[in-house]
């Protein structure tokens, strides 16, 4: 009954205003609980259109393309804001519209307008109805959302999106469900330590010594603050100081005494209580450190999970329950001396679960980070071609690319296992984006793969889409210290921090030669496929629930780029030679 009412409200609004977004139904995994009360609080962000969007994209590509005259000449914060600034008329039109609806306290920050108001006001403003929805797959979490919204024609031309409205999902740690994290007893942990750095030992479990041995990582940087490597934590994941010190003593004893720092975003915390899940955050921290020490490490602890009980007094800051936009806005506001040049993110979700305008806006923000010299590394996902493999629009069988890994302006990392040779692991996700076209720097690498598979799976993906992943790294049975115990964890969430640590090392070497950070990596990566070991064994598998695919589906590892391991795994010595000629891998 709630669902029917809300859909009717959205359709009725179209006669007098432009529908900006509309969902055909409540997203899978969510259910309506009750209508929001008129005096409940809702906090929203409006993204204003950027008149110089095309010029900005070209500028970022120029800065990031080896051989271009502007390569490496990254934008300052002020230079970037000159590209993203909306027109004065757009800002005045939107703030005037808000004032007409008794919203006097909106905050304008370049191309964003943030405000809080009552549900009654917001419903009138956006010609919609808000309700509380429960996530049946995530501990009953509740979010205040709507199934669609409209804005008047006179302001629609100035607005990209208003969120959180139709954006139901949230980042999920990319941890394999095939190999769940599990604790080891003391004897097993001792045997692992004794076996590190050998093929036999590293085929069973991964430690920092395994990664250094396998990828030939011998270069050690200084601890210069300009070489800070960051990672993002969501969903009340907090890395633990005690676990970090224990990990150092067992696996990186030469780094004993180094610590990490934390920045709190959007109500995030640095809570060390024992009941909080910390496995993902500890994994990210410990393996960035294991690969790149003594580089400084920064954790962004970002709040934004919805409440478990909806109340009539929601003291919400702007963007509550919307961690990505808040986190990205925070990052882009950092001064040039504070923004880290490598960021690892081990979270994601199905691309089709994200409103298209939201996915495009978030990707634009990652592009802006690339323009400022930041390399953004994302886990590709842990479900092969897909888990459910159901297209939301018509329930047809369709592969499921992941978000934000499908954004062309992040570097997407798949997973391997075993050594000499490495193999694609079955859970490693890949495929082709539904929302983003294939960029020109991928064409030479990806088209041979498409010719090889011909019409195989042709109805189930768009071959014109941005191809995922870009590269890969080990992702199975990583030793992590969590809550005092030696545990094993698998997933592309392990692969991403490994790559982030490697990029941090490359940047450190570049700094010794007076060179800038690598920034947006992908054009450089695809220009240098010889810097990666091609993985030709194994496959990413999934879609086993679909009757059209009796045996499921698989992306096979092949010669050249493939949608399970990308270009392959790092050859650190060759990458170092390319990034910082003359710096020795020693």
């Amino acid at each position: 009954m709630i669902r029917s009412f809300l859909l009717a409200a959205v359709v009725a609004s179209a006669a007098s205003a432009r529908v900006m977004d509309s969902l055909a139904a409540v997203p899978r995994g969510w259910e309506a609980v009750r209508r929001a009360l008129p005096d409940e609080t809702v906090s929203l962000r409006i993204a204003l259109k950027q008149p110089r969007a095309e010029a900005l994209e070209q500028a970022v590509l120029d800065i990031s393309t080896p051989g271009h005259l502007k390569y490496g000449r990254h934008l300052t914060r002020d230079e970037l804001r000159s590209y993203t600034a909306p027109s004065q008329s757009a800002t005045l039109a939107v703030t005037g519209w808000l004032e007409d609806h008794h919203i006097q306290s909106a905050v304008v920050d370049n191309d964003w307008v943030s405000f809080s108001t009552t549900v009654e006001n917001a419903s009138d403003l956006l010609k919609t109805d808000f309700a509380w929805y429960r996530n049946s797959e995530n501990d009953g979490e509740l979010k205040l959302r709507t199934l669609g919204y409209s804005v008047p024609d006179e302001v629609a031309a100035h607005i990209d999106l208003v969120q959180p409205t139709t954006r139901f999902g949230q980042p999920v740690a990319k941890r394999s469900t095939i190999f769940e994290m599990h604790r080891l007893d003391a004897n097993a942990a001792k045997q692992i330590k004794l076996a590190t750095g050998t093929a036999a030992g590293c085929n069973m479990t991964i430690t920092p010594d395994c990664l250094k041995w396998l990828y030939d990582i011998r270069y050690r940087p200084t601890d210069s603050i300009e070489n800070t490597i960051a990672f993002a934590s969501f969903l009340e994941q907090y890395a633990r100081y005690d676990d970090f010190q224990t990990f150092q003593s067992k696996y990186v004893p030469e780094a004993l005494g180094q610590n990490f720092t934390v920045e709190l975003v959007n109500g995030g915390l640095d809570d060390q209580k024992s009941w909080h899940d910390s496995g993902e955050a500890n994994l990210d921290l410990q393996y960035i450190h294991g690969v790149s020490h003594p580089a400084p490490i920064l954790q962004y602890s970002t709040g934004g999970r919805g409440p478990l009980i909806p109340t009539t007094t929601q003291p919400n800051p702007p963007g509550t329950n919307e961690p990505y936009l808040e986190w990205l806005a925070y990052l882009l506001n950092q001064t040039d001396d504070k923004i880290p040049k490598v960021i690892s993110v081990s979270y994601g979700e199905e691309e089709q679960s994200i409103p298209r305008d939201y996915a495009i806006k978030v990707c634009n923000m990652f592009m802006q980070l690339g323009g400022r010299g930041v390399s953004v590394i994302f886990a590709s996902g842990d479900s092969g071609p897909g888990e459910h493999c159901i297209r939301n629009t018509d329930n047809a069988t369709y592969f499921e690319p992941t978000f934000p890994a499908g954004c062309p302006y992040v570097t997407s990392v798949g997973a391997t296992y075993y050594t000499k040779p490495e193999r694609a692991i079955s859970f490693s996700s890949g495929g082709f984006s539904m929302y983003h076209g294939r960029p020109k720097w991928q064409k030479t690498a990806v088209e041979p793969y498409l010719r090889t598979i011909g019409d195989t799976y042709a109805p189930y993906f768009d071959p014109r889409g941005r191809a995922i992943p870009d590269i890969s790294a080990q992702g199975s049975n990583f030793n992590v210290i969590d809550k005092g115990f030696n545990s094993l964890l698998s997933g592309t969430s392990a692969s991403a921090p490994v790559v982030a640590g490697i990029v941090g090392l490359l940047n450190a070497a570049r700094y010794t030669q007076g060179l800038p950070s690598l920034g947006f990596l992908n054009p450089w990566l695809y220009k240098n496929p010889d810097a990666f070991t091609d993985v030709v064994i194994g496959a990413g598998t999934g879609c086993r629930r679909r009757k059209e695919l009796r045996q499921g589906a698989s992306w096979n590892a092949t010669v050249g780029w493939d949608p399970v391991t990308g270009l392959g795994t790092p050859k650190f010595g060759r990458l170092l030679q390319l990034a910082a000629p003359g710096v020795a891998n020693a």
Side-chain angles (χ1 to χ4, degrees):
M1 190 69 179
I2 294 175
R3 170 183 160 187
S4 300
F5 176 83
L6 294 172
L7 287 172
V10 172
V11 172
S13 73
S16 58
R18 186 183 305 180
V19 176
M20 301 294 287
D21 193 25
S22 178
L23 304 180
V26 178
R28 185 173 63 234
W30 292 85
E31 59 182 0
V33 176
R34 66 164 173 83
R35 294 183 191 176
L37 301 177
D39 60 349
E40 289 184 304
T41 300
V42 60
S43 301
L44 301 169
R45 274 186 177 269
I46 300 174
L48 302 179
K49 286 192 178 296
Q50 302 168 0
R52 302 184 64 198
E54 291 184 5
L56 173 58
E57 184 169 17
Q58 188 59 55
V60 173
L61 289 173
D62 292 347
I63 290 166
S64 309
T65 301
H68 195 281
L69 289 174
K70 295 183 179 179
Y71 180 63
R73 295 171 60 181
H74 302 128
L75 302 174
T76 66
R77 182 178 67 171
D78 291 342
E79 287 171 340
L80 177 65
R81 287 169 73 91
S82 72
Y83 279 101
T84 60
S87 66
Q88 185 178 20
S89 59
T91 303
L92 290 173
V94 171
T95 53
W97 169 55
L98 295 177
E99 289 170 0
D100 289 343
H101 287 78
H102 312 293
I103 299 169
Q104 307 290 335
S105 57
V107 177
V108 179
D109 183 10
N110 205 43
D111 56 330
W112 289 97
V113 180
S114 305
F115 63 95
S116 295
T117 189
T118 63
V119 162
E120 182 177 35
N121 239 4
S123 298
D124 182 51
L125 182 77
L126 301 175
K127 301 297 184 286
T128 191
D129 284 274
F130 285 86
W132 286 98
Y133 295 85
R134 176 183 289 114
N135 187 333
S136 58
E137 300 175 355
N138 190 23
D139 300 325
E141 178 189 1
L142 290 147
K143 289 188 175 181
L144 186 62
R145 293 294 186 267
T146 181
L147 299 183
Y149 67 96
S150 304
V151 302
D153 289 336
E154 59 267 26
V155 297
H158 304 307
I159 293 175
D160 278 334
L161 57 79
V162 183
Q163 289 290 352
T165 49
T166 55
R167 155 79 161 131
F168 278 72
Q170 66 186 13
V172 177
K174 294 292 92 183
R175 183 185 303 171
S176 170
T177 56
I178 301 171
F179 300 99
E180 291 288 353
M181 185 168 119
H182 60 277
R183 292 177 177 176
L184 300 175
D185 61 34
N187 184 59
K190 181 178 179 181
Q191 294 303 314
I192 286 169
K193 182 68 174 94
L194 293 173
T196 59
T198 67
C202 298
N203 284 341
M204 296 170 56
T205 181
I206 293 295
T207 66
D209 282 350
C210 286
L211 297 168
K212 294 171 190 175
W213 165 75
L214 181 60
Y215 298 138
D216 189 29
I217 301 170
R218 287 174 280 132
Y219 175 72
R220 290 268 65 85
T222 66
D223 60 355
S224 169
I225 192 64
E226 70 177 345
N227 192 38
T228 295
I229 304 170
F231 67 98
S233 289
F234 302 100
L235 310 180
E236 293 87 52
Q237 279 268 354
Y238 313 114
R240 297 177 185 273
Y241 302 105
D242 290 347
D243 289 339
F244 185 56
Q245 300 303 324
T246 303
F247 181 83
Q248 282 182 336
S249 66
K250 286 192 174 186
Y251 298 114
V252 201
E254 63 273 28
L256 271 173
Q258 183 179 339
N259 215 326
F260 65 99
T261 57
V262 180
E263 287 190 24
L264 309 181
V265 183
N266 193 39
L269 302 173
D270 184 18
D271 194 335
Q272 301 290 305
K273 292 181 180 178
S274 61
W275 56 270
H276 281 298
D277 187 4
S278 52
E280 183 59 52
N282 278 336
L283 169 66
D284 292 341
L285 168 66
Q286 291 169 18
Y287 278 87
I288 289 173
H289 178 64
V291 169
S292 68
H293 71 86
I297 303 177
L298 169 64
Q299 176 186 214
Y300 287 113
S301 176
T302 303
R305 187 198 289 266
L308 298 180
I309 302 174
T311 70
T312 58
T313 56
Q314 293 290 318
N316 295 345
T320 293
N321 304 348
E322 206 339 283
Y324 269 136
L325 291 182
E326 292 300 314
W327 176 61
L328 286 166
Y330 177 86
L331 281 175
L332 289 167
N333 265 328
Q334 296 299 294
T335 57
D336 300 322
D337 61 329
K338 292 292 182 64
I339 192 166
K341 295 305 189 288
V342 184
I343 301 175
S344 180
V345 192
S346 293
Y347 294 78
E349 52 204 297
E350 287 182 28
E351 190 177 62
Q352 68 171 345
S353 72
I354 309 300
R356 180 185 291 268
D357 61 353
Y358 177 96
I360 291 171
K361 187 64 180 180
V362 166
C363 189
N364 175 275
M365 296 174 83
F366 285 124
M367 178 184 71
Q368 293 176 47
L369 285 173
R372 291 191 64 187
V374 181
S375 302
V376 184
I377 315 297
F378 260 92
S380 73
D382 295 328
S383 55
E387 182 178 359
H388 301 286
C389 297
I390 302 171
R391 187 163 53 199
N392 286 346
T393 53
D394 56 8
N395 290 326
T397 297
Y398 203 79
F399 294 165
E400 296 167 351
T402 53
F403 165 88
C407 169
Y409 290 98
V410 306
T411 297
S412 174
V413 184
T416 60
Y417 77 115
Y418 213 68
T419 67
K420 308 296 184 180
E422 290 183 84
R423 306 175 182 187
I425 198 163
S426 60
F427 59 71
S428 183
S429 286
F432 300 83
S433 173
M434 302 169 67
Y435 294 156
H436 306 284
R438 183 158 63 253
K440 62 182 180 181
W441 37 262
Q442 273 197 321
K443 182 177 180 181
T444 301
V446 174
E447 290 191 354
Y449 177 83
L450 291 171
R451 288 195 295 269
T452 298
I453 65 171
D455 292 334
T456 306
Y457 302 138
Y460 310 133
F461 73 97
D462 184 349
R464 300 165 300 177
R466 181 270 204 266
I468 312 163
D470 298 301
I471 58 176
S472 52
Q474 287 282 313
S476 179
N477 285 335
F478 275 50
N479 278 271
V480 177
I481 303 299
D482 186 57
K483 300 179 183 176
F485 291 90
N486 210 119
S487 302
L488 296 182
L489 191 149
S490 299
T492 53
S493 60
S495 310
V498 171
V499 170
I502 288 173
V503 177
L505 290 177
L506 298 177
N507 279 343
R510 288 174 65 83
Y511 297 150
T512 66
Q513 298 188 323
L515 297 171
S517 62
L518 286 166
F520 170 47
L521 291 168
N522 293 353
W524 183 70
L525 299 178
Y526 283 87
K527 188 176 181 179
N528 296 293
D530 66 316
F532 300 90
T533 299
D534 193 9
V535 180
V536 297
I537 305 171
T541 60
C543 305
R544 298 190 182 279
R545 304 181 187 183
R546 302 305 287 169
K547 62 182 180 181
E548 293 92 338
L549 302 166
R550 296 179 183 177
Q551 304 301 318
S554 63
W555 294 124
N556 294 327
T558 63
V559 174
W561 181 92
D562 56 68
V564 59
T565 63
L567 296 171
T569 58
K571 297 177 182 177
F572 182 78
R574 178 58 178 153
L575 288 167
L576 183 62
Q577 183 183 39
L578 290 165
V583 175
N585 183 24

